[in-house]
Amino acid sequence: MKYFINRFLIGLMFICSSIYAEADNNWYMSASANINFNAFSKSQNLDTQTELGVFVDADYLENYALSAGLIYQNQGQKSFDNISNNILFLGARYHIYPESVPGRLSLSLETYTESENSTVKTTRTQTPGPGSGGPPTVTITTELINDSMDIINPVISYLNYTKTFYADLGYTQSEYGSTDPEIGKLKVKQWAPTIGFSFNDQYDWLQFRYYNIELSNDARSPGVTKTSASEFKLTHWLNNNENFSFNNIQFIMLIGERLFAVDADARKVYNLADMQTSTYSIGGNWKNANKNEFYLYAGVENYEDPESNENYINVFLYSGYKKFW
Amino acid sequence: MKKLLIKMMSALMFVFVSFNAVSADDAWMRSYTLETAGQYAAAAQSIEHFLKEIPNNEFAVLRSAWLYYLAENYSRSIKYYQTALEINKNSIDAMLGMSLPLMAQARWREAASMTQEVIKISKWNYLAHTRLMTCEDNLKQWETLKKHAETLRVYYPSDATILVYLARAYSHTNKNTKAKEAYQQVLQRYPGHLEASKFLSK
């Protein structure tokens, strides 16, 4: 934890030194804190998972931006003691305004680092039954793996000037290292193209993102080398001028299969070793004139353990506060 | 003979200078005609040779920047305005001009910064203040906009635009009575104003 706090502080110092170097009033800062509480039901191993995140973002006009964050995960296990992970997030964005297109191109690079990640691995052993034709005996064992996690996420995006059309192409390379040679490293390559557009006089926004994920290590993701999923997000803005009013409402649906995914919008790493098969969530945010924002989301995620084929459900509540300066 | 030669040379020089002047006038005229016809890129191209001859031709740079803004080539327009500011860093024309393509590209913070530079030179410049209010509106800086519009209305009491921004800021900061008053004043200055009428009919 100390290592990550140090790195987070270094990130913050880098942001502050950049602000100092450009000693003018052109920096726009924001800071956010959020909590994500997950309750698992029908899972053999998982009980709860709590995530706390703190992020600082600094934008220099509409030219470039720097971000730093710290995510703390605490996973309640049924068979083990709680597992705690700390993820360091660092990001940078640069905006380009080319003559050839009527919009802004943005290049961004985000990283997620975790030196001591802990996950639970499930192993399914099948032995032949007694005599001929007897039912086989299936033994499911679980073990705790200590590994590391390094994620790099470059994204190129386009947003037109009227903010009615958006497209991006994100590539994520995740590496989950392991000290256990039998388990080995896991490399995950994720391609996530996105398209979004507004309608209803810009009161609504529909975004579609396709996830294509390739996994390198069969021992870490039994029988799964490739997954794909589609995510739909519908956002509706309310024309509400009242102070601290309900600003927008959002519906999110994910269908398909997703394993070790990274959600760049939510800055969330899905480092559970189980297959996410669907997500349905609803949420919204409240804003006031003093640049305070509060958001709340609730949803259901369905998972499948690729080893035991066991299905389980995660009910989550995600809430946060953001302050702009 | 010498006198005759001098007279002939003078006459030739007069013809040459006049021809060039007519040619330059023609180019400017063509540029204005094409602008009126809505052919903004062609209008900019018609004065391009002035910039090739003298890259620091301030007026040609400013006019090119304006024409590329009209042609919706905002990035090129910004480049020309930046050149204009390199030629003359105190050019209010260039600063105010540059705020337009920046706003068209939704670069509200940069546009605000540019208008603030104008305000440093010319404290109560109407265009700079109204464009800054447009930026504050788009950045949803309601408290800032409210204070800004409250100050400006003192200097421009008959202006409807400032009152519209003031009414919007009041509305977004939960000061509905004040918003109504401001919108009523907008209707006195601009009868039938859509936004004011819509708000007051609620």
Side-chain angles (χ1 to χ4, degrees):
Chain A
M1 184 65 180
K2 196 179 169 189
Y3 168 84
F4 285 100
I5 288 174
N6 286 343
R7 288 294 176 96
F8 177 64
L9 290 175
I10 289 168
L12 272 183
M13 276 171 67
F14 179 66
I15 290 173
C16 292
S17 61
S18 304
I19 292 168
Y20 183 74
E22 298 276 358
D24 53 30
N25 291 326
N26 293 331
W27 280 97
Y28 289 75
M29 300 287 294
S30 66
S32 62
N34 57 58
I35 181 166
N36 185 4
F37 181 74
N38 302 264
F40 298 93
S41 65
K42 299 180 188 172
S43 169
Q44 194 182 353
N45 306 316
L46 294 163
D47 188 19
T48 58
Q49 180 171 292
T50 307
E51 267 185 22
L52 299 168
V54 182
F55 296 92
V56 176
D57 292 275
D59 288 59
Y60 185 77
L61 297 172
E62 285 95 357
N63 295 338
Y64 56 91
L66 301 167
S67 309
L70 199 56
I71 305 160
Y72 167 77
Q73 281 182 341
N74 186 285
Q75 214 173 70
Q77 297 285 330
K78 287 178 180 165
S79 319
F80 302 98
D81 290 340
N82 283 13
I83 298 170
S84 292
N85 293 318
N86 299 293
I87 301 169
L88 176 73
F89 168 85
L90 292 171
R93 282 180 301 287
Y94 185 71
H95 306 298
I96 306 165
Y97 301 87
E99 286 182 24
S100 49
V101 287
R104 174 174 98 176
L105 284 176
S106 300
L107 306 171
S108 82
L109 184 66
E110 294 181 342
T111 62
Y112 302 81
T113 320
E114 190 178 27
S115 65
E116 287 177 15
N117 177 59
S118 298
T119 50
V120 173
K121 179 176 160 46
T122 308
T123 313
R124 188 173 192 257
T125 322
Q126 190 168 311
T127 48
S132 57
T137 309
V138 177
T139 314
I140 295 172
T141 54
T142 52
E143 58 184 314
L144 197 64
I145 303 168
N146 287 313
D147 58 13
S148 59
M149 183 186 83
D150 285 295
I151 296 172
I152 186 160
N153 177 207
V155 180
I156 180 164
S157 63
Y158 170 78
L159 176 68
N160 71 348
Y161 294 137
T162 49
K163 296 187 178 177
T164 54
F165 176 78
Y166 173 84
D168 77 29
L169 180 63
Y171 172 74
T172 310
Q173 184 159 308
S174 312
E175 268 192 38
Y176 292 85
S178 176
T179 47
D180 186 341
E182 277 184 27
I183 295 159
K185 278 187 179 177
L186 168 68
K187 276 191 181 176
V188 185
K189 290 177 182 175
Q190 172 184 298
W191 286 98
T194 309
I195 195 161
F197 58 90
S198 72
F199 57 100
N200 186 23
D201 279 340
Q202 293 189 265
Y203 276 104
D204 291 280
W205 181 268
L206 184 63
Q207 182 175 293
F208 168 71
R209 176 169 288 158
Y210 178 73
Y211 286 87
N212 186 296
I213 300 170
E214 284 180 22
L215 304 111
S216 69
N217 186 339
D218 194 51
R220 298 280 291 266
S221 53
V224 183
T225 54
K226 199 172 179 180
T227 70
S228 60
S230 300
E231 183 191 64
F232 301 88
K233 279 185 191 171
L234 176 66
T235 311
H236 177 72
W237 279 271
L238 293 108
N239 189 12
N240 199 340
N241 289 349
E242 284 178 22
N243 208 11
F244 220 65
S245 58
F246 198 29
N247 183 256
N248 71 50
I249 185 165
Q250 190 175 62
F251 304 92
I252 302 170
M253 181 176 78
L254 178 118
I255 47 171
E257 291 182 329
R258 212 167 64 159
L259 189 56
F260 290 108
V262 175
D263 184 339
D265 288 351
R267 290 175 175 173
K268 185 171 167 60
V269 178
Y270 288 85
N271 54 357
L272 286 177
D274 297 328
M275 185 84 80
Q276 189 183 357
T277 53
S278 66
T279 297
Y280 305 96
S281 81
I282 183 169
N285 72 13
W286 289 258
K287 279 183 180 176
N288 77 352
N290 292 324
K291 301 178 195 172
N292 296 295
E293 187 179 334
F294 173 74
Y295 39 95
L296 180 68
Y297 287 83
V300 179
E301 288 174 342
N302 288 298
Y303 282 92
E304 184 187 306
D305 184 329
E307 183 64 19
S308 65
N309 289 329
E310 180 192 60
N311 293 310
Y312 64 91
I313 297 166
N314 169 32
V315 178
F316 68 88
L317 199 64
Y318 174 76
S319 178
Y321 168 76
K322 193 168 188 176
K323 172 74 184 169
F324 297 85
W325 287 277
Chain B
M1 183 64 183
K2 198 179 170 185
K3 272 188 177 176
L4 186 68
L5 267 171
I6 289 168
K7 278 183 179 174
M8 276 178 69
M9 287 291 282
S10 302
L12 269 171
M13 274 178 70
F14 177 74
V15 169
F16 181 73
V17 168
S18 303
F19 178 78
N20 267 341
V22 168
S23 171
D25 282 354
D26 279 355
W28 290 114
M29 180 59 81
R30 196 163 56 250
S31 152
Y32 290 116
T33 310
L34 287 165
E35 181 187 354
T36 310
Q39 296 177 39
Y40 307 118
Q45 281 152 16
S46 71
I47 55 167
E48 221 167 48
H49 64 280
F50 293 124
L51 294 170
K52 280 180 186 157
E53 286 164 16
I54 309 166
N56 281 359
N57 183 331
E58 188 179 6
F59 179 64
V61 171
L62 280 169
R63 179 142 178 81
S64 300
W66 166 249
L67 290 168
Y68 280 116
Y69 163 70
L70 292 177
E72 296 180 9
N73 191 338
Y74 304 126
S75 293
R76 188 172 294 187
S77 170
I78 289 166
K79 278 180 195 163
Y80 277 110
Y81 278 124
Q82 279 167 341
T83 308
L85 280 171
E86 282 164 19
I87 297 166
N88 175 3
K89 67 179 172 120
N90 293 317
S91 167
I92 289 178
D93 271 353
M95 291 179 211
L96 283 176
M98 192 158 154
S99 68
L100 291 171
L102 285 172
M103 289 197 288
Q105 287 185 333
R107 293 159 76 174
W108 305 109
R109 293 166 178 170
E110 285 180 75
S113 174
M114 197 51 66
T115 56
Q116 279 157 351
E117 289 299 313
V118 175
I119 292 164
K120 279 182 198 167
I121 301 170
S122 172
K123 200 176 175 186
W124 298 110
N125 185 297
Y126 176 81
L127 270 181
H129 278 285
T130 46
R131 285 182 194 169
L132 179 56
M133 284 196 297
T134 308
C135 296
E136 289 162 349
D137 183 357
N138 279 281
L139 290 167
K140 302 188 191 316
Q141 297 173 334
W142 305 118
E143 288 291 345
T144 309
L145 179 61
K146 188 180 77 184
K147 285 175 194 160
H148 189 186
E150 277 173 346
T151 309
L152 271 188
R153 73 188 295 195
V154 177
Y155 292 94
Y156 298 97
S158 65
D159 190 81
T161 307
I162 294 164
L163 285 166
V164 170
Y165 283 119
L166 182 64
R168 275 187 207 169
Y170 281 143
S171 163
H172 281 91
T173 50
N174 262 6
K175 292 184 168 55
N176 280 335
T177 313
K178 283 190 165 184
K180 273 182 190 171
E181 284 170 14
Y183 275 127
Q184 277 160 353
Q185 290 179 40
V186 170
L187 285 178
Q188 288 166 9
R189 288 152 181 80
Y190 194 138
H193 188 277
L194 276 177
E195 185 180 319
S197 307
K198 197 177 165 189
F199 187 89
L200 292 169
S201 66
K202 275 191 214 170

